């Protein structure tokens, strides 16, 4: 059994894998001020209630875009398993089947790297991964397993929060699809601007990335796969036809693949 920690800016996803399949998952809030002992006290009852025997955990992997939490979760892993996890970092990149631009080796988010790895391992063709998290990211991979580039924008929730926090009269509203762009009340107006506005952003960016992959890397536009992942992809899935696949576990799957390559 493999224990995986995917630490994002807003949430931490904890997964247990067995025989290549996710058998248990939990999601908790990210707090960079918590110590490893505090996180262990949160996770221990979750494991206990799910009847997880830590002795059956044979390996562990950690991906974090919050550097302050790498140490605490190394400690958490040691508490559960008695050994350190594999931390996804530049030291293991040369073992992966992907090529990363030299300028990005120490900058690319490990979550985006895992997205790209999972996409490549699944499809073995040029792909664009759209990850709906705290940030909205677009990661492009060409047909030769080269990470061609990344585009990053504020996530839907981040944009909504910024609007609410920086205006005097606009309320926080649920992220739902409004009837149309012609908002008849404040709630629908904000939803039109955020949800439908981001639909346009996402579709436009996908089309531009496909064009750039064709121009710069000779990728066949008709064969470029578009995969959506992340917690908020469900907002746009019903109103766009630009996603070929939606896989909420893409990042975790990429982490497991990274572990396999690193341990060879």
């Amino acid at each position: 059994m493999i224990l995986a920690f995917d630490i994002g800016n807003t949430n931490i996803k904890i997964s247990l894998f067995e025989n290549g399949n996710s058998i248990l998952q939990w999601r908790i809030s990210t707090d960079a001020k918590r110590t490893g002992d505090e996180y262990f006290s949160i996770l221990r009852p979750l494991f206990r209630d799910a009847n997880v025997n830590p002795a059956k955990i044979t390996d562990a992997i950690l991906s974090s875009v919050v550097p302050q939490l790498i140490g605490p979760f190394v400690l958490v892993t040691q508490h559960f398993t008695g050994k350190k996890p594999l931390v996804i970092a530049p030291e293991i990149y040369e073992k992966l089947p992907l090529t990363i631009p030299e300028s990005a080796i120490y900058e690319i988010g490990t979550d985006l790297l895992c997205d790209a790895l999972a996409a490549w391992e699944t499809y073995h063709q040029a792909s664009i991964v759209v990850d709906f998290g705290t940030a909205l990211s677009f990661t492009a991979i060409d047909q030769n397993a080269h990470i061609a580039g990344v585009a990053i924008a504020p996530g839907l929730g981040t944009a909504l929060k910024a609007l609410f926090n920086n205006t005097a009269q606009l309320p926080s509203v649920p992220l739902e699809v409004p009837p149309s762009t012609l908002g008849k009340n404040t709630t629908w107006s904000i939803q039109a601007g955020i949800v439908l506005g981001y639909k346009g952003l996402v579709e436009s960016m996908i089309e531009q990335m496909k064009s750039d992959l064709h121009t710069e890397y000779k990728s066949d536009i008709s064969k470029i796969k578009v995969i959506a992942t992340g917690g908020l992809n469900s907002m746009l899935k019903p109103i766009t036809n630009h996603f070929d696949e939606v896989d909420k576990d893409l990042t975790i799957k990429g982490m497991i693949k990274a572990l396999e390559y690193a341990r060879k």
Side-chain angles (χ1 to χ4, degrees):
M1 189 160 55
I2 298 172
L3 173 61
F5 294 110
D6 176 17
I7 302 174
N9 288 294
T10 303
N11 293 305
I12 299 166
K13 184 183 287 186
I14 304 99
S15 297
L16 285 169
F17 270 75
E18 196 165 45
N19 299 321
N21 298 311
S22 176
I23 57 173
L24 281 171
Q25 281 193 1
W26 299 275
R27 189 184 295 268
I28 61 176
S29 298
T30 303
D31 185 347
K33 295 180 181 179
R34 282 188 181 136
T35 66
D37 290 331
E38 288 175 311
Y39 275 112
F40 180 64
S41 70
I42 293 171
L43 294 176
R44 182 168 53 181
L46 296 178
F47 277 51
R48 184 184 62 237
D49 292 346
N51 295 316
V52 175
N53 181 1
K56 293 185 177 180
I57 299 174
T58 57
D59 214 336
I61 186 161
L62 167 62
S63 167
S64 179
V65 297
V66 184
Q68 306 97 301
L69 288 180
I70 294 176
F73 274 88
V74 168
L75 181 64
V76 168
T77 308
Q78 289 176 313
H79 281 335
F80 276 121
T81 68
K83 50 193 173 185
K84 292 183 178 181
L86 174 73
V87 178
I88 297 180
E91 291 74 25
I92 72 163
Y93 291 175
E94 63 181 16
K95 296 182 178 182
L96 305 180
L98 298 173
T99 303
I100 305 168
E102 270 192 48
S103 58
I105 288 176
Y106 294 97
E107 295 185 359
I108 189 169
T110 54
D111 56 340
L112 305 188
L113 176 68
C114 291
D115 284 346
L117 178 58
W120 177 255
E121 288 289 306
T122 303
Y123 303 106
H124 288 94
Q125 63 192 79
S127 305
I128 296 170
V129 179
V130 187
D131 194 329
F132 292 83
T134 306
L136 170 63
S137 63
F138 303 79
T139 304
I141 309 100
D142 77 359
Q143 66 276 11
N144 297 310
H146 177 71
I147 295 181
V150 175
I152 300 173
L156 280 83
T158 303
L160 181 63
K161 185 177 180 180
L163 188 64
F164 170 64
N165 287 338
N166 291 286
T167 56
Q169 291 186 296
L170 295 182
S172 181
V173 303
L175 278 171
E176 298 173 354
V177 180
S180 78
T181 57
L182 307 176
K184 298 298 191 293
N185 55 53
T186 302
T187 296
W188 288 356
S189 297
I190 294 173
Q191 290 171 340
I194 298 292
V195 179
L196 300 183
Y198 266 72
K199 173 181 181 287
L201 185 158
V202 168
E203 293 179 346
S204 174
M205 186 63 73
I206 289 170
E207 293 303 319
Q208 186 62 54
M209 269 196 159
K210 285 183 176 181
S211 176
D212 290 341
L213 278 169
H214 173 70
T215 301
E216 297 181 35
Y217 295 91
K218 309 305 179 187
S219 301
D220 183 341
I221 289 178
S222 67
K223 294 182 179 180
I224 297 173
K225 204 82 171 173
V226 180
I227 310 104
T229 190
L232 290 175
N233 70 76
S234 58
M235 291 297 99
L236 297 187
K237 182 184 175 184
I239 56 174
T240 182
N241 60 2
H242 277 56
F243 303 145
D244 297 306
E245 302 288 343
V246 175
D247 188 345
K248 63 183 179 63
D249 293 326
L250 192 73
T251 309
I252 292 282
K253 290 176 180 177
M255 291 172 60
I256 299 301
K257 284 294 180 182
L259 179 65
E260 293 173 5
Y261 279 106
R263 295 305 196 208
K264 286 182 179 179

